[in-house]
Amino acid sequence: MHLVWYFLCVLGFTSKSFRVVHLDLKGAPPRLGYLRQLLPLLAAQGCDALLIEYEDMFPYTGRLANASALNAYTRKDVKRLLSWAHDMGMEVIPLVQTFGHLEYVLKLEEFRHYRELPSFPQEVCPSNEDTMSLIEEMIEQMMSLHPDAKYLHLGCDEVFHIAACSKCTQRHLSKIYARYVIQLAELVRKKYPGVTPIIWDDMMRQWSPQYISSSPLTSLIEPMVWVYAEDVSKLLPHYIWHWYGKTFKKVWIAGAYKGATLPTSVVPDIEVHFKNQISWLNYIDNTPVQIKGFVLTGWSRYDHFAVLCELLPVSIPSLFLGLSLISRKHKHITQTEVFNIWHSSMRCSPSLKFDLHNLKFEPRYLSSCNFPGIEIYNAILQYLTIKSNIEALDISLTEKKGWMTKYNVDHNYTSPWRILEDYRSLNAHQLQQELGHFKNSTELKLSKYFDQFSINEWIEQKIFPLEFKLHNLRKTMENLIRRDVWPRRPLR
Ligand SMILES: [Zn+2]
């Protein structure tokens, strides 16, 4: 009887499993004040752990100092963030990449000799005898700022170039990975007793079941199994889960709430993320595996070099919906109940009723809610309208109408009146003014959430291309209408 009770309480995804929010800070740190405002709300939604991926926002010192961005958090900032999380009763899991995704370190001249391939600054070479001391130093600095951490996430995902250098080519591919990660995990276990190393699981997914179960790695680390697709089983065949369950005592799972559909996306696709989380819950329903925690990942960029994807304030609805779903304390909850919890968490008007379908096609349903970030959410919706209008103008002038096509431009041959008339009737001038106003007002709104470097980057990536497009259209138009005498056909 007791045994049955024990299994019911400990195995599967239970009320004891962590509900984890991933904060990906790379290259665009939210203002601390915003995070402070957010933490109690996350806690109220059931989040009891943070997975913090600092990347270049971590205040590295000594020979690692240049791995930090110039706008990185200070040590004092990190301590404040950790103390707020502690006040909320949240577990903090720091994440430091130790194999792949080390672009922010390996891009630098002083660390280029650690690369697996000279041209690609993603992975360290595990056969380089100096690599482990570099990584050990990164871990030391991370742990010195997280002395209370019970878990340390070592990354180890997406090691795209493995066994590629001349030193590594001699060794078996899965062994090279396993041997290096075992070394890392042993280092953590020995130096920080009580700290459990975690790694992403994707590199292991290609191993044979026999190799997984016989590897010493299984007793050293806890895997974090990530799938962000709408149907988890498509990317994670059940036989792999079966072997994970047989081999590892505890497994973490990770879905996504942002940053997983398109590297240039500006608003999360709530429907895709919600379906992903539901799919995960169905996938692990009645699983005999102990689920240590369910992580909602929210990526800021696809990697260090990529542009920004969805900003955190815009992604709050998606995050809160995910938390409303995974924070249920009992096993069965209807979708209506989840949505009701979600509405109230975002302080939406009780009269508002929406479902996944109208959210996907009418994101303005949320415009009157009052969650922290709503002004940026609304600004991004306005941005999408302006962007779409400018693109429509461009296509209309250069492809649909017949006086400013490539042919007209190449031969400097058009009707000035027609062009001027099209330019006027399509509101090109108003669009330019609207974009200018939008840029100024959004910059001001963003300043409550991000530092000026991040705002400048966002504006350069999202607004500048639209300004450039409008500028080019105007220049082309002005050049074309300057002509007042035209040659006989055929044109040359
Ligand atoms: Zn190598």
Side-chain angles (χ1 to χ4, degrees):
M1 185 63 191
H2 283 293
L3 195 64
V4 172
W5 181 86
Y6 176 81
F7 278 120
L8 283 176
C9 282
V10 175
L11 297 180
F13 183 54
T14 71
S15 59
K16 288 187 166 58
S17 308
F18 285 112
R19 271 70 176 173
V20 191
V21 170
H22 172 232
L23 288 179
D24 178 19
L25 306 173
K26 63 171 82 85
R31 286 199 184 278
L32 278 186
Y34 181 52
L35 292 179
R36 188 178 195 177
Q37 183 191 2
L38 217 48
L39 289 188
L41 299 174
L42 297 180
Q45 299 308 310
C47 162
D48 54 7
L50 297 176
L51 173 62
I52 306 185
E53 182 154 5
Y54 296 93
E55 218 227 26
D56 60 349
M57 285 303 127
F58 187 79
Y60 287 106
T61 57
R63 69 163 170 153
L64 290 169
N66 289 341
S68 305
L70 295 169
N71 58 335
Y73 287 135
T74 62
R75 290 179 71 82
K76 198 173 160 191
D77 290 339
V78 173
K79 284 180 181 169
R80 287 170 74 196
L81 177 59
L82 297 181
S83 77
W84 298 331
H86 182 262
D87 291 346
M88 292 296 122
M90 290 174 174
E91 189 71 42
V92 171
I93 307 170
L95 187 153
V96 57
Q97 286 285 2
T98 53
F99 202 167
H101 281 305
L102 276 166
E103 296 93 338
Y104 72 107
V105 178
L106 301 179
K107 71 179 180 181
L108 301 166
E109 175 67 34
E110 63 261 45
F111 298 115
R112 64 186 300 170
H113 60 283
Y114 290 96
R115 297 175 191 172
E116 174 67 10
L117 286 175
S119 309
F120 302 142
Q122 275 122 315
E123 303 87 6
V124 283
C125 169
S127 305
N128 181 332
E129 54 207 21
D130 297 328
T131 292
M132 198 47 76
S133 72
L134 173 76
I135 300 300
E136 186 174 358
E137 193 167 342
M138 292 175 71
I139 291 174
E140 270 172 17
Q141 293 200 19
M142 187 60 69
M143 288 305 290
S144 79
L145 259 179
H146 298 81
D148 301 325
K150 295 191 186 75
Y151 304 92
L152 176 65
H153 200 309
L154 298 170
C156 297
D157 58 317
E158 299 187 328
V159 187
F160 295 119
H161 309 104
I162 192 163
C165 83
S166 56
K167 279 186 187 170
C168 290
T169 38
Q170 310 297 323
R171 301 159 66 190
H172 189 270
L173 199 132
S174 57
K175 279 191 182 142
I176 221 174
Y177 178 88
R179 207 174 295 172
Y180 176 71
V181 181
I182 288 167
Q183 215 181 333
L184 278 172
E186 283 177 342
L187 183 151
V188 172
R189 293 265 185 193
K190 195 173 162 198
K191 208 161 178 174
Y192 310 99
V195 174
T196 301
I198 298 171
I199 64 165
W200 298 114
D201 80 303
D202 51 282
M203 296 300 291
M204 285 190 292
R205 236 176 268 178
Q206 51 197 298
W207 295 358
S208 71
Q210 292 74 16
Y211 188 76
I212 292 179
S213 47
S214 65
S215 170
L217 200 55
T218 56
S219 59
L220 288 168
I221 57 106
E222 289 178 359
M224 194 172 275
V225 185
W226 65 271
V227 179
Y228 308 145
E230 289 181 50
D231 181 354
V232 170
S233 61
K234 276 195 178 163
L235 294 178
L236 190 70
H238 285 277
Y239 80 89
I240 293 183
W241 184 256
H242 172 76
W243 276 103
Y244 281 175
K246 280 190 86 160
T247 314
F248 294 99
K249 288 187 195 128
K250 294 154 188 176
V251 174
W252 301 71
I253 59 170
Y257 72 90
K258 78 179 183 96
T261 51
L262 195 68
T264 50
S265 172
V266 289
V267 181
D269 188 326
I270 291 186
E271 186 183 26
V272 167
H273 296 314
F274 191 61
K275 284 182 174 171
N276 161 249
Q277 294 145 12
I278 288 180
S279 175
W280 257 124
L281 291 176
N282 290 334
Y283 189 89
I284 58 170
D285 195 26
N286 291 323
T287 185
V289 181
Q290 183 180 346
I291 307 293
K292 199 69 183 288
F294 192 148
V295 187
L296 296 176
T297 61
W299 302 91
S300 293
R301 320 170 181 268
Y302 273 37
D303 71 21
H304 180 79
F305 290 109
V307 294
L308 289 164
C309 48
E310 301 99 319
L311 299 174
L312 182 59
V314 188
S315 312
I316 296 300
S318 178
L319 173 57
F320 280 16
L321 182 60
L323 280 174
S324 303
L325 178 70
I326 69 166
S327 294
R328 64 201 184 142
K329 292 297 175 195
H330 53 94
K331 197 168 176 183
H332 297 291
I333 186 168
T334 65
Q335 196 159 302
T336 309
E337 286 172 301
V338 170
F339 271 70
N340 287 341
I341 296 168
W342 181 52
H343 286 191
S344 99
S345 74
M346 294 204 305
R347 297 191 212 142
C348 302
S349 158
S351 62
L352 268 184
K353 292 287 170 217
F354 34 74
D355 55 28
L356 276 180
H357 180 80
N358 54 32
L359 261 180
K360 188 175 178 78
F361 296 103
E362 278 298 334
R364 283 177 204 286
Y365 273 95
L366 298 177
S367 291
S368 58
C369 301
N370 192 19
F371 57 87
I374 180 68
E375 56 185 333
I376 304 301
Y377 183 89
N378 284 333
I380 298 298
L381 294 187
Q382 195 189 348
Y383 162 78
L384 288 173
T385 304
I386 295 173
K387 180 170 182 276
S388 147
N389 289 341
I390 291 173
E391 283 166 353
L393 169 78
D394 184 28
I395 289 175
S396 192
L397 285 173
T398 62
E399 292 180 32
K400 291 186 177 169
K401 305 265 183 186
W403 293 274
M404 213 168 114
T405 66
K406 185 171 184 305
Y407 180 87
N408 299 110
V409 175
D410 285 350
H411 296 279
N412 194 8
Y413 194 81
T414 195
S415 159
W417 173 76
R418 283 284 196 178
I419 282 204
L420 284 168
E421 196 52 24
D422 288 345
Y423 208 74
R424 187 194 59 75
S425 67
L426 292 168
N427 300 319
H429 187 61
Q430 285 92 320
L431 270 177
Q432 196 152 11
Q433 282 185 329
E434 200 181 334
L435 184 63
H437 290 146
F438 174 79
K439 184 165 91 170
N440 294 337
S441 66
T442 305
E443 186 170 1
L444 194 65
K445 286 175 193 164
L446 281 169
S447 64
K448 274 170 59 183
Y449 300 88
F450 295 98
D451 68 8
Q452 196 56 45
F453 298 102
S454 310
I455 296 169
N456 290 348
E457 181 186 341
W458 191 86
I459 285 177
E460 190 173 343
Q461 288 167 5
K462 305 299 174 195
I463 310 288
F464 281 14
L466 299 182
E467 286 182 336
F468 184 70
K469 199 171 279 237
L470 286 175
H471 174 80
N472 276 353
L473 286 174
R474 188 175 185 89
K475 276 298 230 198
T476 306
M477 182 268 286
E478 286 171 352
N479 284 340
L480 283 169
I481 63 171
R482 205 170 287 140
R483 188 168 201 177
D484 54 6
V485 176
W486 294 266
R488 298 168 68 188
R489 281 199 163 96
L491 304 177
R492 294 179 184 186

